[in-house]
Amino acid sequence: MKLEKFKEKNSKKKFIITFTISCILLLAGVFLYTSFAVFTEEKDFNVINGTAQDPGDIYFAYYVDGQITRELPSQNSGYLFDAEQSNCTNGVIPSWDYSTWTFQGNYSNYTKTDYSRTKCNLYFTKTKTVSTVLGDLEVYTYTPDFTKSACDDEVCESHEKGIFETTDDDGTSYYYRGSVENNYVYFVNRYWRIIRINGNGSIRMIYDGTVAHENGESSTDRQAGTSAFNMANNDNMFVGYMYTSGVVHGLGTSSIIKQANDNVYTSLLSSYASYIDINAGFCGDRSTLNHRDGAGTGTIITYYSSYLRTITSTPTLSCENQSDLYTVSSSSIGNKALMYPVGLITLDEVIFAGHGGGVFDFDSDYRDFKNTKESPNSYLTNGNMFWTMTPVGYYNPFGGIYLGTHIFSVYQTGILDDTGTYGVMGFRPVINIRSDVTVSGLGTISSPYEFSLS
């Protein structure tokens, strides 16, 4: 009897031990599966610039057009290996052999760690070569995730860097995104940064100072001056680059910011008018979201279409209403209301450049400090607040009795925000250079693009 009891107790003890070990193994298996689920194992690989001492297994995760996958894109499918974004653990430096379409690892700095497998994140993006006024450019053809900020900094959610394509009202436009370093221009003894190649082939660029500045460098030299956008903020008309009381798309009066921009043109650019394109306009989009009488006029609470495009991260380079496309009288398109062909950057162009959408309202009821999208090393970020020419609306941002007109702005670290039209901040003129200029230089900080006429 005692023997039977002893066996029974011993069996229970063995069961508990076996069950505990099984649970531990199961949890370990789940952990390993989770850790390596997106990686595919490869044991055959090439080693360059040195030999690896028993490097063990190597695991690859492929990112195709920014999306993780276990499937390697096929050879000759138009995809290119992005060495700048790709990375491996244990000191391995990745590269790609296009002839065999296989991974190559530089193991000269390999550091062996017991039980530590080498993981490699390999990025592939599809590019094409396009012929532009700047010469042949490598252009990414996929659409980025515009909810994410893009720059060479750890706070940015994406490290996309290069030239991408989209459409505008004139055709295909090629825009610069992220911490690009190949869009410097030296023109009229000033430095500029290229925003994009417009659909009509002209070059759109933004003022960037009397000397060349690094991406993200903080300097008031990178703006042409400071100004209010308009004289007041108590009427919808004050969101306009030009405006008329009671008319949504009115063009009767020049805004304060337009007058400041015009002064820069007459003092700096008028002698170089022959270089400047007159058919690529500047969109100050005043199309409204409200479906009520009087929206966009007076003190009617109004949100403009750009508000929705920002919170949904769906920028566009098309201008909805031709009355909001500011052009000079000799232009073949737009409202023909400008005296001089100079404007400001649009909110949409800022998002395309790598400043994440979704959250923009830094000071109001909608603020979310955890989700503000900084882009500290974007080519646009200059350590100062500066205006766009895109209206947000006439509304109450503080939850009290305050109402006012607001324009999109870019804050010191690249955050998108709304600023009351009476506020004073930096402004940076934007101009378009003709598509038939002769271009020299490499577009770098040490060899900027320069223009001449044939």
Side-chain angles (χ1 to χ4, degrees):
M1 194 68 166
K2 289 182 179 179
L3 181 61
E4 290 177 353
K5 288 182 178 180
F6 173 77
K7 288 182 177 179
E8 181 180 346
K9 290 179 180 178
N10 193 47
S11 296
K12 288 182 178 178
K13 184 177 181 181
K14 287 182 177 179
F15 173 77
I16 292 172
I17 293 171
T18 303
F19 179 78
T20 301
I21 293 173
S22 298
C23 288
I24 292 172
L25 291 173
L26 179 61
L27 289 173
V30 170
F31 174 78
L32 289 173
Y33 177 80
T34 303
S35 299
F36 290 94
V38 295
F39 288 82
T40 180
E41 182 179 355
E42 298 283 347
K43 292 185 178 180
D44 296 322
F45 52 86
N46 298 318
V47 179
I48 59 175
N49 295 338
T51 59
Q53 297 297 318
D54 188 23
D57 297 338
I58 185 166
Y59 287 80
F60 296 146
Y62 305 116
Y63 287 80
V64 179
D65 291 346
Q67 301 297 317
I68 193 168
T69 175
R70 289 174 62 92
E71 301 299 324
L72 173 68
S74 59
Q75 191 173 19
N76 300 321
S77 59
Y79 283 95
L80 300 176
F81 177 70
D82 190 338
E84 192 164 327
Q85 289 199 78
S86 299
N87 60 84
C88 295
T89 60
N90 297 335
V92 178
I93 301 174
S95 63
W96 197 255
D97 186 336
Y98 282 90
S99 62
T100 59
W101 200 244
T102 56
F103 168 83
Q104 286 190 322
N106 180 338
Y107 279 79
S108 58
N109 295 319
Y110 175 74
T111 302
K112 180 180 179 181
T113 304
D114 291 339
Y115 311 111
S116 176
R117 303 170 179 179
T118 298
K119 298 180 185 179
C120 291
N121 297 302
L122 306 182
Y123 286 77
F124 295 85
T125 51
K126 186 171 285 189
T127 65
K128 66 179 182 181
T129 301
V130 298
S131 180
T132 73
V133 61
L134 299 177
D136 290 341
L137 300 176
E138 287 296 315
V139 174
Y140 293 108
T141 59
Y142 72 93
T143 301
D145 181 350
F146 295 120
T147 66
K148 296 180 178 179
S149 56
C151 71
D152 289 342
D153 193 279
E154 61 181 9
V155 305
C156 283
E157 302 157 302
S158 169
H159 290 173
E160 289 167 326
K161 178 179 179 179
I163 306 172
F164 292 75
E165 71 174 7
T166 189
T167 57
D168 63 17
D169 290 327
D170 295 313
T172 302
S173 182
Y174 305 106
Y175 61 93
Y176 289 77
R177 180 173 175 83
S179 300
V180 290
E181 298 163 331
N182 60 342
N183 66 338
Y184 285 87
V185 170
Y186 187 64
F187 180 64
V188 297
N189 299 316
R190 298 292 189 276
Y191 285 87
W192 307 71
R193 302 299 290 272
I194 298 173
I195 299 169
R196 59 186 174 109
I197 307 297
N198 298 310
N200 71 349
S202 61
I203 306 165
R204 188 183 300 259
M205 58 191 196
I206 187 169
Y207 185 90
D208 204 40
T210 60
V211 297
H213 296 279
E214 300 281 355
N215 290 336
E217 181 182 338
S218 180
S219 174
T220 55
D221 179 62
R222 300 181 69 183
Q223 57 195 28
T226 59
S227 173
F229 194 90
N230 236 318
M231 64 181 66
N233 71 328
N234 58 354
D235 190 296
N236 266 290
M237 67 180 176
F238 292 124
V239 302
Y241 193 64
M242 299 179 73
Y243 61 88
T244 300
S245 178
V247 180
V248 178
H249 306 282
L251 300 169
T253 303
S254 293
S255 64
I256 300 297
I257 196 75
K258 177 182 177 295
Q259 294 174 46
N261 238 5
D262 286 350
N263 288 337
V264 172
Y265 187 92
T266 56
S267 63
L268 181 66
L269 294 162
S270 58
S271 298
Y272 296 83
S274 57
Y275 287 80
I276 297 177
D277 182 271
I278 60 172
N279 285 315
F282 310 92
C283 186
D285 181 23
R286 290 175 287 187
S287 54
T288 66
L289 294 174
N290 307 59
H291 299 288
R292 59 178 294 188
D293 291 340
T297 63
T299 57
I300 301 297
I301 292 177
T302 300
Y303 288 88
Y304 295 95
S305 294
S306 56
Y307 172 87
L308 180 61
R309 294 199 301 274
T310 303
I311 63 174
T312 58
S313 302
T314 53
T316 180
L317 295 181
S318 293
C319 200
E320 184 172 335
N321 193 299
Q322 287 291 293
S323 293
D324 293 330
L325 183 62
Y326 292 89
T327 56
V328 294
S329 59
S330 55
S331 175
S332 61
I333 61 172
N335 58 28
K336 305 182 181 182
L338 295 180
M339 178 70 71
Y340 307 111
V342 59
L344 298 173
I345 196 169
T346 68
L347 176 279
D348 302 87
E349 288 171 333
V350 174
I351 295 178
F352 278 116
H355 298 247
V359 175
F360 73 89
D361 207 332
F362 190 73
D363 295 320
S364 74
D365 292 342
Y366 305 99
R367 67 186 176 198
D368 186 342
F369 292 102
K370 292 182 179 179
N371 290 322
T372 51
K373 310 296 179 67
E374 294 186 343
S375 301
N377 287 321
S378 161
Y379 76 90
L380 287 177
T381 302
N382 66 0
N384 305 285
M385 297 180 289
F386 64 91
W387 293 108
T388 75
M389 67 184 300
T390 306
V392 188
Y394 180 87
Y395 56 91
N396 176 0
F398 296 112
I401 62 173
Y402 172 83
L403 285 167
T405 48
H406 292 77
I407 300 291
F408 278 106
S409 57
V410 180
Y411 268 39
Q412 291 94 329
T413 58
I415 293 169
L416 303 180
D417 202 0
D418 57 342
T419 300
T421 51
Y422 62 90
V424 176
M425 61 176 61
F427 71 96
R428 306 172 68 184
V430 172
I431 58 175
N432 300 289
I433 300 297
R434 286 167 41 176
S435 62
D436 60 347
V437 294
T438 299
V439 180
S440 60
L442 303 175
T444 62
I445 195 169
S446 60
S447 178
Y449 291 124
E450 295 191 58
F451 308 133
S452 61
L453 293 176
S454 301

